Amino acid sequence: MVDLQSQYQKIKDTVDASIQEVLNSSAYINGPYVHEFQADLEKYLGVKHVIPCANGTDALQIAMMGLGLEPGDEVITADFTFAATVEVIGLLKLTPVLVDVEPDTFNIDIDALKKAITPKTKAIVPVHLFGQCANMEAVLEVANEHNLFVIEDNAQAIGADYTFADGTKKKAGTMGNVGTTSFFPSKNLGCYGDGGAIFTNDDELAHILRGMVNHGMYKRYYHDVVGVNSRLDSIQAAVLKAKLPLLDSYCDARRKAAEYYSNAFADNPNIITPIISDFTTHVFHQYTLRIINGKRDELHQHLLDKGIPNAIYYPVPLHAQKAYQDNRYNETDFTVTNQLIDEVISLPMHTELDEEQLAFITKTINDFI
Ligand SMILES: Cc1ncc(COP(=O)(O)O)c(C=O)c1O
């Protein structure tokens, strides 16, 4: 699905030199690269505070801790996302409330969101799935009306731009009270291990979060709040600092591959290609098709037989996962996710795809479907 080795070969000299510098300095935790990367990312995102941490799951958990969410508080999120989003809600003994998504963008459905609000609702977690932003203007409007926090799960859309109705532009992850991301190796901005970050423009919240990622310490060995050990290590920060200036070109390369795919499938009546909302750019963390003639599983196997990687993101909606079942849910509340799990298939998507590969993949699919 990704070709991290070819990407690494193109930046090997810079990355190797940076890693060597960390080894020479022995500043493995909280070394200069962590601070430099943090400042670079703040500038890139146009956000006041970036708080690096150990991974995108921790980033979500710490964001919810920092906002002071308490057991029993209801947190609304999308039914169609990676489990990390709902996992941390459960871990903190908050109550996850899963809602359906839009069939074309796979992002949270605003009507379903509105219907799910109760007096116990405290936060909304829109997930910018597969690389494009959820309808943040509408999410923020609902949040303002009901006085709710907005935590953007931006693990999959770093680099995407959002345009509000008044023309204001913001980077994905910087629109809510807090945003989170993952630097998992295959992400658009990936390191060579685990990594993550939290973003906010709120000075007070940023201060709380900075202590929380480091055992709740604001002064060494003085623990003011319950925290966790979740730090981005210096070697990962060195890799990320080298890769951040390339993020926009990485997103462009993904867009180019997506355009090739979409053009190749344009006349195929059995395939729905990704639809991009007007208010967001798409950075194609995943390129996900809907196969609407019932042959998705056969296609999945056929591509594997031909040596073409592909994946079903996601095969089971969260409301149907054993860990997150809840008898308050009605299957009729999830008509879209229940349909998507039978139709979606994600194709290889990364910065190194060339035309020969794309031609082979698209021809194989069009011949079969
Ligand atoms: C939507 C979403 N949220 C959260 C995460 C968690 O990130 P991490 O794997 O860095 O913990 C991921 C990672 O795949 C993700 O895709």
Side-chain angles (χ1 to χ4, degrees), residues 55-58 60 81-82 84-85 127 129 153 155-156 182-184 187 194-195 314:
N55 56 68
T57 310
D58 281 4
L60 281 163
T81 172
F82 181 58
T85 320
V127 182
L129 202 75
D153 181 346
Q156 299 193 5
S182 163
F183 302 125
F184 186 80
K187 294 288 192 257
D194 274 310
Y314 297 95

Side-chain angles (χ1 to χ4, degrees), residues 10-39:
K10 291 183 180 158
I11 53 173
K12 187 176 184 312
D13 291 348
T14 324
V15 169
D16 288 5
S18 306
I19 292 176
Q20 190 59 53
E21 216 180 300
V22 177
L23 298 179
N24 293 344
S25 73
S26 304
Y28 299 122
I29 302 287
N30 259 328
Y33 270 121
V34 178
H35 302 284
E36 286 169 28
F37 169 64
Q38 175 190 315

